[in-house]
DNA sequence: CTGTATCCTTCTGGATACTG
DNA sequence: CAGTATCCAGAAGGATACAG
C-alpha cells in the first residue's frame, strides 16, 4: 500500500486517498459505541440482552444500529438460534480480531499521553480565559 | 497502563476506563478534518491560507475550529508573526508527531482490509435487499 | 428475548457576511 | 491574511412504545 504520508511524498493524490481511507475507518470505529462493542466482544460471544445490560448507557436503538454496522462491515458475526424465546449471539469475526491490534496501539498512545493532553487543555483554557478579561 | 482489554481481565472498571480513553482519542482525531490537518502538517509548517487552499472542501470555519482543538490538545502549535498582513503558521508539536505512528498503523489496517470490507458491505446489502422483497 | 418504529433533541458542519 | 459571527440543514443519538 501507499503509506499514510511517506516522507518525501507530496501530500497529494495517493496520500489524499490514503488519508481518506484512514478517515473512514476512524469515523466508523470512532463513533459513540463501535469500539465499546468491539471491546466487549474481544474475549467471547455475547447475546443481545447481555450487551444491553452490561454496556452502561447504551440505548436499545443504538445497540442494534451499531451491531448492524459492524456486521455489515464484516467485523462482527450475528448468529440467530431458532428457539423460543429467540437467542441471538454476536462475536468478532477474524477481520474484527485483526482490528484489535492497531486499535490497541492507539489505546496505548491515548493512555500514555492522556495526562499530557489534559495539562495542555488546562493551560490553553487558562490562557483563553485571561484573554477575554 | 492497563492494556485495552487484557486477556483474562473482566471487561469492567479499569478496562471500561481504558476503553473510554481510547474512545475519546478516536472521537477527537476521527472527526471530519483533524486527521487531514495532521496529515498535511506531517512534513512541514503551513500557513492558514495555504491549508485552506490545499485542503479540498474544508470551510474556513471548520479549519479554524479544528486547528483550535488540535492546538488546545497540544498536537499543533500556532505561531503568529506580528507583520502586516498577519502571518500565522501551524506545525505539529512533538506530541502531534508521536500520534502519527499509531494512526499510521490504523491506516495500514484500513488499506489492507479496504477491499474486504467493501465486499462484505456489498454482500450484506445484497442480502438485505433480498430480504425486503 | 430481540428487535422495529417514531418522535424529538443535540451536535456537527457548511454557507455567507463581516472585521482587525 | 486570518480569522469571527450568524444562521441553517442534516446527521447522530436518546426515549418511548410497540411487535414477532
Amino acid at each position: 500500500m501507499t503509506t499514510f504520508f511517506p516522507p518525501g511524498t507530496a501530500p497529494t493524490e495517493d496520500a489524499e486517498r490514503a488519508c481518506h481511507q484512514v478517515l473512514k475507518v476512524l469515523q466508523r470505529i470512532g463513533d459513540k459505541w463501535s469500539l465499546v462493542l468491539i471491546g466487549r466482544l474481544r474475549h467471547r460471544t455475547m447475546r443481545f440482552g447481555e450487551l444491553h445490560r452490561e454496556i452502561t448507557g447504551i440505548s436499545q436503538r443504538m445497540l442494534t444500529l451499531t451491531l448492524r454496522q459492524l456486521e455489515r462491515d464484516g467485523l462482527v458475526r450475528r448468529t440467530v438460534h431458532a428457539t423460543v424465546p429467540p437467542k441471538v449471539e454476536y462475536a468478532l469475526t477474524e477481520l474484527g480480531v485483526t482490528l484489535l491490534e492497531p486499535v490497541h496501539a492507539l489505546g496505548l498512545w491515548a493512555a500514555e499521553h492522556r495526562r499530557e493532553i489534559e495539562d495542555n487543555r488546562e493551560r490553553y483554557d487558562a490562557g483563553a480565559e485571561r484573554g477575554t478579561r
Side-chain angles (χ1 to χ4, degrees), chain A residues 33-47 50-51 54-55 67 70 75-77 90-105:
Chain A
W33 298 110
S34 290
L35 204 62
V36 178
L37 287 177
I38 289 173
R40 284 293 174 156
L41 295 173
R42 169 72 185 81
H43 298 300
R44 64 183 185 90
T45 287
M46 290 182 74
R47 297 183 55 176
E50 208 174 3
L51 288 165
E54 295 194 9
I55 296 178
L67 284 170
L70 295 173
L75 297 169
V76 160
R77 178 168 24 253
Y90 293 91
L92 285 190
T93 60
E94 287 199 16
L95 179 62
V97 171
T98 66
L99 181 57
L100 289 171
E101 187 181 317
V103 164
H104 183 238

Side-chain angles (χ1 to χ4, degrees), chain A residues 111-122:
Chain A
E112 270 170 38
H113 301 284
R114 187 178 66 92
R115 186 61 60 94
E116 190 177 351
I117 290 176
E118 279 171 14
D119 292 349
N120 289 336
R121 286 181 185 174
E122 279 182 31

Side-chain angles (χ1 to χ4, degrees), chain A residues 2 6 9 18 30 49 65 68 71 87 92 96 113 132:
Chain A
T2 121
T9 298
L65 283 180
R68 289 293 180 276
E71 188 195 359
K87 172 176 173 179
L92 285 190
H113 301 284
T132 51

